[in-house]
Amino acid sequence: MANAGGDADLEKAIPEDKKGDVKPGAAVVETGKGEQEVDFKTLTAEEAFQVLGVTHEGLTSAEVQKRLAEYGPNKLPEGSRNPILVYLGYMWNPLSWAMEVAAILAIILLDYPDFCLIIALLVMNATISYREEASADKAIKALTAALAPKARAMRDGKLEQIESSGLVPGDVILMAIGNIVPADVKLLGEVGDDVPMQVDQAALTGESLPAKKFAGDVCFSGSTIKQGEKHALVYATGQNTFFGRAASLIAGTHNVANLQKIMTRIGGVCLITIGVWCIIELGVQFGHYNHSCYLGEEKCPTLTNMLVIIVGGIPIAMPTVLSVTLALGAFKLAKEGAIVARMSAVEEMAGMDILCSDKTGTLTLNELTVDKPNVVVVPQGMSTEEALKYGALSANISSQEPIDVVMHESHDGHQTLWDHYKQVKFVPFNPTDKYTIATVLSNDEGGKPYRLMKGAPQVVLRNCYNVADIKDHVESKITEFAGRGYRALGLAMAEGDDRGDTRWEFVCLLPLFDPPRHDTKATVEACREKGIDVKMVTGDQLLIGKETSRQLGMGTNMYSTEALLEHVEDEKKLGELVEHADGFAEVFPEHKYEIVNILQKRNHMVGMTGDGVNDAPALKKADVGIAVDGATDAARGAADIVLTQAGLSVIITAIIGARKIFQRMTTYSKYTVAMTFRICFTFGLLTVIYNFYFPTVLIVLLAVFNDGAMIALSKDKVVASRLPNHWALPSIFIVGIVYGLYLTLSTWVLYYVATHTSFFQRKLKMNDLRYKPRSYLEDHCRRFAIPGAGFSTVGAAVPGTATRAYPDINWEGPTPSLLDQCVVEQEYVRQSMTRTLLYAQVSFSGQAVVFVVRTAKHSLAVVAGSLTYIAFFAAQIAALLIAALGFDGYVEPAYVVDDCKFCRYSGGDKVFAFAGVAPQANTEALYSASVIGCTYYIVVAIIWSLIWYIGLDPIKWAMMWILNEDGMRDMAKHKLSQDRRQVTAKDPNENTVGGMGSGGYANPLGRASVAGPLVPPGEAGAPALARASVVGVKHSSMGPAGPGLARQSITRSSLEQKQM
């Protein structure tokens, strides 16, 4: 029967006398690309058939194959990425480049241990980052899964069930209740048909109620048929559908994580620093000190020493530490009901200053409800609940029509209502009469009949006997409800059945609305207190959006998409409009996407909440996409954060958690930048001034122990900032340089005192580490070392060559004198011990900086987290043990003497934990950066570090004053502002860090999270603001009259495309 009825409708769609006689149409315009752009919403059925070149009998199999070749299958393109290339991509950034150069240099020099350590860190960074990011195809696959798998189409004059992927423009299909609309279609049938289809398109457009669709209307792919049955003409398939455009926007969106940009900038500065020091070192070492260099293990100490600058100058553990910190923070957020799909979104949420939110299902419950406090009851003495009872009696609950369900359930006693009444007749709604009539019998009154009319309030009012008396009052309320965006229903009652005259009495005016979630208003207020502007972006009607916004206290400065179109030519005015608006209504996915894009271009960090397919593109585009509880697969797939608890209050919890995580990350960033500059300047200066080399292995261990301990910062005690956080990199770099130079000074003074004076020997009776000037060691050898080894001297002279001590050695260079070999061995031991002393001091004083940069107050006055202290002491105990015990003389020089005769402490004792292998004199072997334990000198390193630590807090305050961090110099001038780029207010009780930008001073970087204009795939320069029912139709698919159809109702955005 369905088929027969459908065929009859199709026959009516194109009357025989009008076939081939279509007048010039309205919604067609040439694109200049071999196709026409058509607005099928405004075309008549006859014109639609003409444009697509088909008849009511559908397509033939041959025509289907032709159109499949032209338009492609009715499915979204399935893209995928090679996981190996994706993984390798995480090794292609400035931070990784320096590590890769260091690894290559290490393997060339046959430095296998350092090579393995560097590669291990590189792989660890890439692995964590790879696991962090979700597949880019996830959102596309979710959208694809939502497409209808089957469809019934007319093929070769017969109705056949086919795969929906086989549909093409021009197909005629049959849709019935429960079906998912498989493509964008135009409904067929006789215009004026009184029986509409109920189509649920809330996930696409945000409309709360299923839409009534009559013959001639369009339906979008992905909608669900709730009631009715009709034939339809397919006009768009796959990626060209309204649904497909959402997928295209997602596929064309490639956000670069803000954290990745920050690390790239930090890496860029570090690379410049490394480059400068490498050039200086190469010039000085080869040009001034005349070092030689040969390939082979430890045959080119100069290049090996450059690994110290390359590895130490780049924060090699930064990606690992920040990723782990984010991962641990994300795990904690998950416990609060916010699952983080993209961990870097946590950092972006901390800086979020604008939150765009969908209305239906996000701010509201997506449940149509009677607003009981605003029900207007007309008869005197009748209560609101009694009026709602009559409303419940007017409902036909067997049809499950949404308004009938709402009317029925709004009465508190609806569960027992039908114990007292019986419905005997129901006249459904039709677009001509615009009301329904229910006839019920009262069981309690002996079957007394009542008739109840509900529908358009003006129509119901006209049918009432007392219309003259109540007209002004009721119409004023109708106008008020319309202005507030309510869907108003009129309700009237009459005694008796439909025989004889009916005396209708107006009962009440019922306002229907989609109520806000219970916690939405509190969430909006909390966001504003935290410096976040909330904007509503909804597909619902403007007046409805304004009323919801008014109830939530969000402001009613809202616009429809027409306002966007009016300013599309003026980017500045368009940006100002979007920035200052409280929200937008009647928007499609393209509009939401573009609104987010415009705000990002104006240096805002934008968040987006949503639940439907129509929100997916904007969720993907936003810096932080948040899918609410109960969201569609498409929304969850596109989102960065997925809420698992009902309501929006968890967003505030997530924001607070994100800001705490951000402060911990900033603490680490300031620490690691300071350490980077400190290592570069410390060992760069020691190398070029004193020809002193340092082992790469200790630098790598420094990063492993100290940076690894920084993971404990993820549990550090911090207070979330009151305003959005921003990276103030210039401040971080300036402060890092100052800290770095100060700590460099501390290390240089220690080095000078230990190697150029006998202070520790004279004052503390410790083993002497002094080896400058050379004459000092020569004197020591003559007086103590050579006689102590059993070799005679003649006065101040030392006769003979080193062969006296090592008769079996094949000397690499000229045979050195015995005095020269003694000096080399003494210098070798003292330098090797000095390296571990400096390692202990650099490690202890460097990691202690973290306690200074984590707070604006005195570092000792603010208690850190217990794990931070535990990690600090654990890392330093490990570092001090390494410094005390050394590595048994590792790295062994290339040219050595075994069982060295003069490798003793200044007091004559044998060196502790030392294999006894020393370099030959007159070779480059002296400059091998070997490591010997400094034993009790670690106490000197600790005390020395504590003394210099005292000056760090005053330096911090001085820098805060100079840079005006946290508004230190003009606190009185600070005030809250909607312009997030100029917010400077600061909570004096917060333990925030200078340079974070959370109200410190104007963000010097701006927030261009995603730059560049919107260019949907395949259409360079295509406008983002387009009407959903406008599609391109190729000339080869048109009927004879198609190209001749003229244009009536095309969108302004289409005009924009023609002018580009």
Side-chain angles (χ1 to χ4, degrees):
M1 291 180 64
N3 188 16
D7 287 342
D9 288 342
L10 288 175
E11 291 293 342
K12 295 175 182 177
I14 308 181
E16 291 294 336
D17 61 338
K18 292 189 177 181
K19 290 182 180 177
D21 186 27
V22 180
K23 294 182 178 180
V28 184
V29 66
E30 290 286 347
T31 66
K33 301 177 183 179
E35 64 179 31
Q36 288 185 338
E37 194 173 64
V38 183
D39 186 354
F40 280 89
K41 184 177 181 180
T42 61
L43 287 180
T44 65
E46 302 98 298
E47 292 170 337
F49 273 98
Q50 289 281 354
V51 167
L52 293 171
V54 296
T55 69
H56 68 279
E57 294 180 354
L59 298 170
T60 64
S61 298
E63 183 65 20
V64 168
Q65 294 303 316
K66 179 181 177 182
R67 297 193 181 208
L68 275 174
E70 282 186 322
Y71 292 98
N74 180 36
K75 61 181 182 179
L76 302 180
E78 298 179 0
S80 62
R81 299 187 297 173
N82 187 315
I84 297 177
L85 294 179
V86 172
Y87 183 85
L88 294 177
Y90 292 110
M91 299 183 183
W92 189 253
N93 56 73
L95 291 174
S96 298
W97 294 339
M99 296 170 65
E100 289 155 8
V101 169
I104 293 171
L105 192 56
I107 199 65
I108 289 175
L109 298 173
L110 304 181
D111 186 358
Y112 300 113
D114 287 338
F115 172 79
C116 292
L117 284 172
I118 294 169
I119 291 297
L121 281 174
L122 189 65
V123 170
M124 190 189 317
N125 291 344
T127 301
I128 291 176
S129 298
Y130 178 79
R131 290 178 60 85
E132 169 195 340
E133 301 296 342
S135 171
D137 301 321
K138 185 166 56 175
I140 301 295
K141 291 177 180 177
L143 284 166
T144 304
L147 286 173
K150 300 289 185 181
R152 289 181 290 173
M154 297 293 295
R155 293 288 171 85
D156 298 316
K158 298 178 182 179
L159 187 65
E160 298 178 359
Q161 181 166 296
I162 64 171
E163 296 288 337
S164 66
S165 60
L167 290 175
V168 294
D171 260 322
V172 176
I173 64 173
L174 177 64
M175 300 187 301
I177 185 171
N179 291 162
I180 296 176
V181 180
D184 284 3
V185 299
K186 187 173 185 68
L187 296 181
L188 302 175
E190 186 175 2
V191 177
D193 187 352
D194 291 344
V195 183
M197 295 184 75
Q198 297 279 352
V199 181
D200 182 2
Q201 51 188 29
L204 297 176
T205 64
E207 295 172 296
S208 305
L209 276 175
K212 289 182 172 65
K213 298 289 186 177
F214 296 91
D217 289 338
V218 294
C219 291
F220 301 130
S221 170
S223 304
T224 304
I225 307 300
K226 291 296 187 181
Q227 188 176 9
E229 181 176 295
K230 283 186 182 297
H231 280 83
L233 176 64
V234 175
Y235 67 83
T237 58
Q239 199 168 1
N240 294 320
T241 63
F242 174 67
F243 193 80
R245 292 182 205 178
S248 297
L249 289 174
I250 293 174
T253 301
H254 303 286
N255 290 356
V256 178
N258 187 64
L259 184 60
Q260 184 62 44
K261 296 179 180 181
I262 296 300
M263 288 194 292
T264 298
R265 291 178 179 177
I266 291 175
V269 172
C270 293
L271 285 178
I272 294 174
T273 306
I274 290 171
V276 170
W277 274 110
C278 284
I279 292 172
I280 293 173
E281 276 201 16
L282 289 173
V284 172
Q285 298 308 106
F286 290 120
H288 177 69
Y289 292 113
N290 297 317
H291 283 284
S292 61
C293 183
Y294 302 95
L295 291 180
E297 187 175 4
E298 288 303 309
K299 292 185 179 180
C300 189
T302 298
L303 290 184
T304 303
N305 186 68
M306 283 184 59
L307 291 175
V308 174
I309 299 299
I310 296 175
V311 176
I314 200 79
I316 55 178
M318 187 176 187
T320 302
V321 174
L322 293 186
S323 295
V324 171
T325 301
L326 285 172
L328 293 175
F331 178 75
K332 185 175 181 180
L333 288 179
K335 292 183 177 180
E336 303 290 342
I339 297 176
V340 180
R342 180 175 62 87
M343 283 189 287
S344 58
V346 175
E347 179 269 336
E348 289 158 0
M349 176 172 264
M352 180 176 69
D353 61 345
I354 290 181
L355 177 62
C356 296
S357 178
D358 174 49
K359 179 186 75 70
T360 307
T362 303
L363 298 174
T364 66
L365 294 172
N366 194 19
E367 297 175 0
L368 200 62
T369 306
V370 175
D371 189 6
K372 293 183 179 181
N374 284 313
V375 172
V376 179
V377 181
V378 174
Q380 293 185 356
M382 183 180 290
S383 67
T384 298
E385 194 56 41
E386 186 177 0
L388 292 175
K389 182 188 75 171
Y390 291 123
L393 290 172
S394 73
N396 177 21
I397 58 174
S398 63
S399 69
Q400 290 297 304
E401 206 281 337
I403 290 183
D404 281 335
V405 173
V406 171
M407 296 296 294
H408 185 257
E409 294 184 353
S410 63
H411 175 46
D412 292 339
H414 67 273
Q415 293 180 340
T416 60
L417 181 65
W418 299 108
D419 295 338
H420 306 281
Y421 294 91
K422 179 181 179 181
Q423 190 176 98
V424 295
K425 186 177 181 181
F426 186 83
V427 178
F429 179 90
N430 67 76
T432 302
D433 296 331
K434 297 184 179 179
Y435 59 73
T436 67
I437 296 179
T439 303
V440 298
L441 303 180
S442 173
N443 298 335
D444 298 336
E445 298 179 74
K448 181 179 179 180
Y450 291 90
R451 301 180 71 201
L452 297 135
M453 175 191 293
K454 73 175 185 296
Q458 296 90 339
V459 175
V460 174
L461 180 62
R462 284 200 304 266
N463 283 281
C464 293
Y465 79 94
N466 57 343
V467 58
D469 298 330
I470 63 174
K471 181 178 180 181
D472 292 342
H473 173 60
V474 174
E475 286 187 345
S476 66
K477 287 296 182 181
I478 292 173
T479 303
E480 177 187 336
F481 286 168
R484 295 174 61 181
Y486 281 121
R487 290 180 172 91
L489 277 181
L491 179 66
M493 180 188 66
E495 296 183 1
D497 53 24
D498 55 358
R499 289 172 293 183
D501 295 334
T502 302
R503 190 171 184 267
W504 293 103
E505 180 181 11
F506 197 92
V507 175
C508 63
L509 194 64
L510 296 159
L512 303 179
F513 79 123
D514 180 14
R517 293 179 183 265
H518 68 282
D519 60 349
T520 300
K521 186 172 184 179
T523 301
V524 171
E525 291 174 352
C527 282
R528 288 186 168 174
E529 288 175 357
K530 297 185 180 304
I532 301 173
D533 188 18
V534 183
K535 299 180 185 292
M536 181 189 298
V537 184
T538 177
D540 219 334
Q541 298 174 16
L542 178 60
L543 292 177
I544 295 174
K546 283 188 175 182
E547 175 60 20
T548 303
S549 185
R550 186 190 64 79
Q551 293 180 11
L552 296 175
M554 294 173 61
T556 57
N557 183 31
M558 296 182 65
Y559 302 93
S560 68
T561 54
E562 295 301 322
L564 295 175
L565 295 171
E566 289 175 4
H567 296 89
V568 73
E569 296 180 1
D570 192 327
E571 185 175 348
K572 182 179 179 181
K573 287 184 179 180
L574 181 61
E576 291 175 350
L577 172 72
V578 173
E579 191 171 37
H580 295 102
D582 293 321
F584 292 89
E586 303 172 16
V587 297
F588 287 134
E590 296 97 324
H591 305 132
K592 293 186 179 185
Y593 182 103
E594 186 65 9
I595 287 168
V596 171
N597 185 41
I598 290 169
L599 291 170
Q600 288 174 331
K601 287 181 178 180
R602 294 184 71 83
N603 298 329
H604 289 286
M605 185 68 78
V606 184
M608 175 73 197
T609 65
D611 68 328
V613 175
N614 62 327
D615 302 314
L619 289 171
K620 184 72 173 178
K621 178 65 174 173
D623 299 291
V624 186
I626 306 170
V628 299
D629 181 49
T632 62
D633 287 344
R636 287 196 296 267
D640 304 308
I641 297 175
V642 179
L643 306 186
T644 60
Q645 297 179 3
L648 298 177
S649 58
V650 68
I651 291 179
I652 300 301
T653 303
I655 291 172
I656 293 172
R659 292 186 181 181
K660 288 182 177 180
I661 293 169
F662 185 93
Q663 294 209 33
R664 294 164 183 149
M665 286 170 34
T666 309
T667 297
Y668 170 75
S669 299
K670 298 192 76 171
Y671 153 79
T672 196
V673 168
M675 285 298 294
T676 293
F677 285 115
R678 188 263 182 92
I679 290 173
C680 280
F681 279 91
T682 296
F683 297 109
L685 289 172
L686 291 180
T687 297
V688 300
I689 296 176
Y690 300 109
N691 205 17
F692 178 81
Y693 287 178
F694 198 77
T696 307
V697 65
L698 291 184
I699 291 298
V700 175
L701 290 176
L702 188 72
V704 171
F705 289 138
N706 288 16
D707 286 355
M710 290 300 100
I711 294 176
L713 285 174
S714 62
K715 300 289 185 180
D716 192 25
K717 292 181 180 179
V718 294
V719 176
S721 61
R722 187 162 53 88
L723 299 173
N725 300 119
H726 301 287
W727 291 92
L729 285 188
S731 172
I732 290 176
F733 285 132
I734 292 172
V735 173
I737 290 175
V738 173
Y739 286 142
L741 291 178
Y742 176 77
L743 293 174
T744 294
L745 179 63
S746 73
T747 304
W748 174 79
V749 173
L750 175 62
Y751 170 83
Y752 190 87
V753 171
T755 61
H756 287 66
T757 73
S758 300
F759 174 81
F760 294 116
Q761 182 188 38
R762 289 184 291 103
K763 300 295 183 182
L764 304 176
K765 307 303 180 184
M766 303 176 74
N767 287 318
D768 195 5
L769 299 181
R770 181 180 180 184
Y771 65 89
K772 293 288 185 178
R774 176 183 171 86
S775 59
Y776 179 81
L777 287 182
E778 290 178 349
D779 183 64
H780 175 79
C781 282
R782 293 189 190 98
R783 296 173 57 190
F784 303 107
I786 294 178
F791 297 96
S792 60
T793 60
V794 179
V798 180
T801 65
T803 305
R804 293 176 58 193
Y806 306 102
D808 299 327
I809 292 294
N810 292 322
W811 300 98
E812 180 65 23
T815 303
S817 67
L818 186 63
L819 178 62
D820 286 342
Q821 184 61 33
C822 176
V823 169
V824 165
E825 292 181 19
Q826 276 291 307
E827 183 176 351
Y828 174 74
V829 170
R830 298 184 187 208
Q831 278 199 19
S832 298
M833 293 178 64
T834 300
R835 292 185 184 105
T836 51
L837 168 63
L838 297 186
Y839 168 70
Q841 191 267 338
V842 168
S843 177
F844 194 95
S845 62
Q847 192 173 2
V849 170
V850 76
F851 297 106
V852 177
V853 299
R854 63 177 296 275
T855 177
K857 299 179 181 179
H858 195 285
S859 57
L860 300 180
V862 180
V863 179
S866 57
L867 284 178
T868 304
Y869 291 116
I870 293 172
F872 173 80
F873 287 112
Q876 294 317 306
I877 288 173
L880 292 174
L881 285 175
I882 290 174
L885 302 177
F887 289 149
D888 197 28
Y890 174 83
V891 180
E892 185 177 303
Y895 311 111
V896 300
V897 295
D898 296 321
D899 189 24
C900 57
K901 303 298 187 293
F902 311 110
C903 299
R904 292 179 175 271
Y905 291 130
S906 59
D909 296 331
K910 294 184 66 174
V911 176
F912 176 73
F914 176 49
V917 177
Q920 296 180 12
N922 297 331
T923 68
E924 283 288 314
L926 171 63
Y927 301 100
S928 292
S930 302
V931 178
I932 298 175
C934 65
T935 62
Y936 46 74
Y937 263 96
I938 61 174
V939 178
V940 173
I942 294 173
I943 296 174
W944 195 270
S945 299
L946 292 175
I947 292 173
W948 285 80
Y949 181 86
I950 297 173
L952 288 173
D953 278 308
I955 290 175
K956 172 180 66 181
W957 295 327
M959 294 306 300
M960 290 179 66
W961 178 266
I962 294 171
L963 298 174
N964 195 28
E965 292 185 4
D966 297 334
M968 197 169 185
R969 281 191 282 115
D970 55 358
M971 184 69 72
K973 300 178 183 179
H974 288 197
K975 62 180 180 179
L976 293 175
S977 170
Q978 290 299 317
D979 186 350
R980 298 292 165 253
R981 293 162 294 148
Q982 297 179 357
V983 171
T984 51
K986 173 68 184 170
D987 184 348
N989 297 319
E990 293 174 7
N991 299 331
T992 56
V993 185
M996 287 172 55
S998 60
Y1001 58 94
N1003 175 20
L1005 294 178
R1007 298 305 309 206
S1009 300
V1010 181
L1014 165 64
V1015 182
E1019 291 193 23
L1025 308 176
R1027 183 166 296 170
S1029 57
V1030 178
V1031 297
V1033 180
K1034 298 182 180 180
H1035 287 164
S1036 57
S1037 298
M1038 293 183 175
L1045 295 176
R1047 171 175 177 253
Q1048 265 182 0
S1049 175
I1050 211 75
T1051 59
R1052 278 192 62 180
S1053 57
S1054 300
L1055 285 176
E1056 292 300 320
Q1057 185 176 4
K1058 309 306 166 295
Q1059 295 169 358
M1060 288 183 177

